[in-house]
Amino acid sequence: MTDAAGTPPNGPPTGPTGASSRAEQIMRFIFTLRSKGVRDPAVLQAMERIDRGAFLRGVFAEHAYEDMPLPIACGQTISQPSVVALMTEALAVGPRDKVLEVGTGSGYQAAVLSLLARRVYTVERHRRLVSEARAVFDRLGLSNITAIAADGSFGLPEQAPFDRIIVTAAAEDAPGPLLAQLRTGGIMVLPVGQSDTVQSLIKVRKLETGMEYEELRTVRFVPLLEGMARD
Ligand code: SAH
């Protein structure tokens, strides 16, 4: 039997092609980010443009637009979108900036940054995550991201200095090599604190006169580990 109205027998109403449900999902996603305090229009626009589902596998992709961290390969996690947005906002990236991210993970944070910056270097200690993230960057046509398999606690000396540095794994303190690779006038955003407790998200400004630290909020990230992983 055909349904004359052309509406699906069950489930929420969708447009003729089902496209409106995705548009609605994104609208709700952006609304959630705003309600969590994200204000910068450029950041909200970047979050709207990058499909978080492209960085997730299997059933997890269905939850891409929910504001929660989700599992990715190698026992790691893709961060919660509101945390990605707030960290990106705190980083205050400009279109001429060269950015370093430590902790590529799925590649989602790097993708969001790539729409705001001139160039993004992202380093990750799991080679498998690096190659998977590169494949997604290629598929999405994000050509200003360079993903490198390396221990990011040492930064990326060959590309230093950086205008902005973001660390998406928690260390006890801001790593010295990263502070050294930040340009004067630059900003670094990172979680600090012990891995099994709540950490503080901090914003560091490198001034002529020294470092200025600002505590933003509490967060929970996987630890920044030493050396390369086996996979
Ligand atoms: N930014 C990611 C989420 C990061 S999860 C995203 O958008 O999906 C933190 C990542 O940091 C993990 O993948 C972990 O393997 C990586 N990591 C931990 N210590 C590291 C180190 N010393 N160097 C590089 N990457 C590291």
Side-chain angles (χ1 to χ4, degrees):
M1 217 179 87
T2 356
D3 179 353
T7 46
N10 288 307
T14 58
T17 60
S20 72
S21 83
R22 183 174 146 76
E24 259 175 43
Q25 251 184 354
I26 295 179
M27 247 171 60
R28 257 186 259 128
F29 179 68
I30 298 302
F31 181 83
T32 304
L33 298 179
R34 281 182 191 280
S35 72
K36 301 260 168 123
V38 185
R39 290 285 174 269
D40 186 334
V43 173
L44 290 166
Q45 197 179 54
M47 300 287 293
E48 191 175 333
R49 280 180 54 196
I50 299 293
D51 176 14
R52 187 167 180 253
F55 298 87
L56 290 161
R57 299 273 176 278
V59 291
F60 297 118
E62 292 163 25
H63 300 282
Y65 288 102
E66 291 167 33
D67 192 25
M68 53 182 179
L70 290 166
I72 56 170
C74 305
Q76 303 304 314
T77 49
I78 183 172
S79 309
Q80 189 178 348
S82 56
V83 172
V84 170
L86 289 166
M87 286 176 83
T88 307
E89 191 170 66
L91 206 59
V93 180
R96 296 165 59 88
D97 286 348
K98 179 163 74 166
V99 181
L100 172 66
E101 180 195 28
V102 175
T104 312
S106 67
Y108 178 61
Q109 171 76 74
V112 170
L113 289 169
S114 77
L115 298 187
L116 303 165
R118 176 170 57 83
R119 174 146 286 279
V120 178
Y121 291 90
T122 180
V123 294
E124 167 60 55
R125 63 189 289 278
H126 286 276
R127 290 185 178 82
R128 175 173 167 201
L129 292 176
V130 171
S131 59
E132 288 183 4
R134 276 187 192 139
V136 184
F137 299 149
D138 282 350
R139 187 144 53 82
L140 300 183
L142 304 173
S143 55
N144 61 339
I145 310 176
T146 307
I148 298 161
D151 177 353
S153 14
F154 299 105
L156 199 60
E158 60 274 30
Q159 294 298 337
F162 295 96
D163 302 293
R164 300 288 185 265
I165 299 180
I166 180 170
V167 188
T168 63
E172 289 200 17
D173 275 310
L178 296 183
L179 290 171
Q181 289 170 34
L182 188 62
R183 191 190 295 285
T184 304
I187 298 174
M188 171 152 83
V189 172
L190 77 163
V192 292
Q194 284 170 358
S195 58
D196 51 355
T197 60
V198 172
Q199 305 135 3
S200 290
L201 185 65
I202 62 167
K203 176 169 175 170
V204 184
R205 278 175 200 277
K206 188 173 188 172
L207 308 172
E208 298 273 2
T209 48
M211 302 291 177
E212 187 185 271
Y213 293 84
E214 184 187 340
E215 229 175 283
L216 302 178
R217 53 167 282 172
T218 57
V219 281
R220 199 170 179 141
F221 276 86
V222 300
L224 187 75
L225 298 175
E226 277 179 23
M228 291 299 292
R230 285 204 202 132
D231 52 352

